[in-house]
Amino acid sequence: TPKNNLVDITNFVLFELGQPLHAFDAAKIDGGRIVVRTCEEGTPFVTLDGVERKLTANDLMICSAAKPMCIAGVYGGLDSGVSDTTTDVFIESAYFNPVWVRKTAKRFGLNTDSSFRFERGVDPDIQVYALKRAALLMKELAGGEIASEITDICSAPIENFKVELDIKRVNRLIGKEIPADTIRTILGALDIKIEAEEGDLWRVAVPPYRVDVTREADLVEEILRIYGYNNISVPSHVNSALSYAPKPDRNKLMNLAADFLTANGFTEIMSNSLSKAAYYEGLTSYKPEHCVKILNPLSNDLNVMRQTLLFNMLEAVQLNANHRNGDLKLYEFGNCYFYDATAATPEESLKAYSEQFRLAIAVTGIAAPLSWNRKPEQASFFTLRAIAEKLLRRFGLDLYTLKSESLRSDLYGDALSFSLNDKARELVQMGVVSSKLRKAFDLKQDVYYLEMDFGALIKATRKNKVTAKELSKFPEVKRDLALLIDKEVTFSALRDIAFAAERKLLKRVSLFDVYEGDKLPEGKKSYALSFVLEDKTQTLTDKTIEQAMANLTAQFERKAGAQVRA
């Protein structure tokens, strides 16, 4: 953001050369002296943003003869900076220890353009050049006059990094023999000097501004980067033990699920595993103390690892809804992370940490858009449930055979959870996001959300055996039945009763109509069920069909208290 022409010049040089500068109002430098030192613990200092901060004994400061004026390499002070009344300017150009700058910046929660560059190591030989560049620009653009000589204080100049480079090892690590002349050209282009060559052993000098190139391995990486990864041929065949692994291929199953969801109109999102600790405050389903905390977070918005994919999904819905794209069908794969101090032991402290690979699905707004032959269809819980049922069937699991329970959670309004029958481990939870969470994300529309333990699904697929049966030569028969039942009775319960009553002939059961209205007794509802009967050995007769339907009716009356409606 433009401030004034003097400050803008220092910022311009920062982006042009990568060297941060600071301009002081010379009239505000008490005693006419600049001293670089630390201050006493607890010394108050007001920075440019108007915030008073308490300094520590490990914060490097640029001071006048009397008081601190600037946090070195991080942020200027409010009282000593250039203003609209400034007539005399003192320009400071320095190289600061990256470790000191980073620790100070993190201590105060400051992330400035200056600290960003000092933390990563600026060129230690460019300070005078950058200073002259800024002074000349001030002379040209601000009508200034250079009034003093340059004072350069450098206790110990940083030398070039001396590295030994073995050409044979370079070729072995890269996997291809690169001509020596090509390596010389690449090193020269990178400003790396070859000081001596003794056969295949070269001694090179790396300029100090390349703080990331201090070892032979770093040099090999630089040579390969310029030479081009695409110019290294890959062997025609690669033997891998993974090909024979007995475990299911997670990537393959992920692709199957992703292909299915994409084919059904869903869009994949990818979000950050880091999240806000504030999301988990006050939750009982995902307690704050179970968050894996980041020791050195980049910001308060990214200070813990996520325990659920829900908040990432709501952020995506919020972003789209704010851009008038409120009709969404989204999914995401990702890890969730957990900390449980009680699980750790003195011998294995890492047992406190765990992770789960999960799949999240969300639908909101219009699920089926308006077209010439149908009206728009609003997304509902059953939109989500239908997708879950089809997805599980794609992996050989039947949603109706899973253990289903009502889920009470502060994340949902109404919700269900599904578990594998042979394990207590929850496989899926789905429901409508609670109104409290929707308000927190400023969402006016309902959001239907599903989260699946994809790792548990992968394990469940191990037991699935693919079998094939010959198609029946005899026709199916379809019969419908309307039942008056209590509102608490679910379709899943009726389905179980039906298959228990007719194991041999019953092939499919489906629900095609639900009615709840004033014409029915209080506390009752009407379900219309469709039954498909089939005998693989012979054609069904009317008598057999009637017996089967009579048996089903009797079981519904006895076990579910149902009444057959005419």
Side-chain angles (χ1 to χ4, degrees), residues 157-170:
I158 298 177
E159 302 291 336
N160 291 339
F161 301 123
K162 307 292 184 179
V163 182
E164 286 191 350
L165 186 66
D166 188 334
I167 302 303
K168 288 184 177 179
R169 189 150 51 235
V170 171

Side-chain angles (χ1 to χ4, degrees), residues 77 156 181 186 256 296 360 389 441 468 473 516 529:
D181 287 342
I186 292 173
L256 284 175
N296 194 16
E389 184 177 346
F441 284 86
K473 299 176 182 178
E516 296 181 52
L529 304 179

Side-chain angles (χ1 to χ4, degrees), residues 54-287:
K54 301 294 183 182
L55 303 176
T56 73
N58 294 318
D59 296 321
L60 192 64
M61 304 296 296
I62 299 173
C63 308
S64 65
K67 61 182 181 180
M69 299 188 297
C70 176
I71 303 176
V74 181
Y75 215 15
L78 185 63
D79 297 331
S80 61
V82 169
S83 66
D84 294 340
T85 60
T86 299
T87 56
D88 297 314
V89 181
F90 179 85
I91 309 173
E92 167 255 322
S93 178
Y95 174 88
F96 295 116
N97 186 305
V99 175
W100 276 63
V101 173
R102 176 162 180 78
K103 286 183 177 180
T104 295
K106 298 307 294 182
R107 192 177 295 123
F108 293 123
L110 295 170
N111 184 21
T112 62
D113 290 322
S114 175
S115 68
F116 183 88
R117 284 156 180 80
F118 277 125
E119 288 172 13
R120 287 153 179 80
V122 300
D123 185 350
D125 297 325
I126 204 175
Q127 283 71 44
V128 173
Y129 181 87
L131 187 71
K132 290 179 178 179
R133 172 71 168 147
L136 290 172
L137 284 172
M138 289 181 185
K139 180 179 179 181
E140 177 186 350
L141 302 175
E145 180 182 342
I146 299 173
S148 73
E149 297 293 327
I150 295 173
T151 301
D152 186 6
I153 301 173
C154 182
S155 57
I158 298 177
E159 302 291 336
N160 291 339
F161 301 123
K162 307 292 184 179
V163 182
E164 286 191 350
L165 186 66
D166 188 334
I167 302 303
K168 288 184 177 179
R169 189 150 51 235
V170 171
N171 292 329
R172 188 170 70 252
L173 288 173
I174 291 177
K176 181 178 181 178
E177 190 167 334
I178 300 176
D181 287 342
T182 302
I183 295 177
R184 289 189 188 95
T185 302
I186 292 173
L187 294 178
L190 294 172
D191 203 17
I192 298 171
K193 298 177 182 178
I194 302 173
E195 295 185 333
E197 293 185 26
E198 298 175 1
D200 290 329
L201 191 63
W202 296 4
R203 287 196 297 274
V204 302
V206 181
Y209 69 83
R210 288 304 306 269
V211 294
D212 57 333
V213 183
T214 58
R215 306 170 301 162
E216 184 183 57
D218 300 331
L219 279 172
V220 174
E221 184 179 358
E222 289 299 289
I223 293 167
L224 180 56
R225 180 173 65 88
I226 302 301
Y227 183 75
Y229 292 95
N230 57 307
N231 292 321
I232 306 300
S233 59
V234 178
S236 58
H237 65 279
V238 178
N239 291 326
S240 173
L242 292 176
S243 303
Y244 308 101
K247 295 182 180 179
D249 186 336
R250 190 177 85 172
N251 289 334
K252 181 180 178 182
L253 297 181
M254 278 177 58
N255 287 335
L256 284 175
D259 289 345
F260 168 82
L261 291 168
T262 302
N264 280 272
F266 282 77
T267 302
E268 184 174 10
I269 67 170
M270 295 182 184
S271 58
N272 202 332
S273 296
L274 301 177
S275 187
K276 292 182 185 179
Y279 284 151
Y280 298 92
E281 291 177 3
L283 288 186
T284 56
S285 51
Y286 292 104
K287 296 181 180 179

Side-chain angles (χ1 to χ4, degrees), residues 414-425:
D414 295 319
L416 294 174
S417 69
F418 296 87
S419 304
L420 295 168
N421 287 337
D422 56 342
K423 292 183 179 179
R425 185 172 178 178

Side-chain angles (χ1 to χ4, degrees), residues 497-498 500-503 545-557:
I497 293 170
E502 276 298 331
R503 296 179 184 275
I545 296 169
E546 289 171 4
Q547 286 177 346
M549 293 307 297
N551 184 28
L552 288 170
T553 302
Q555 292 300 319
F556 288 141
E557 291 174 347

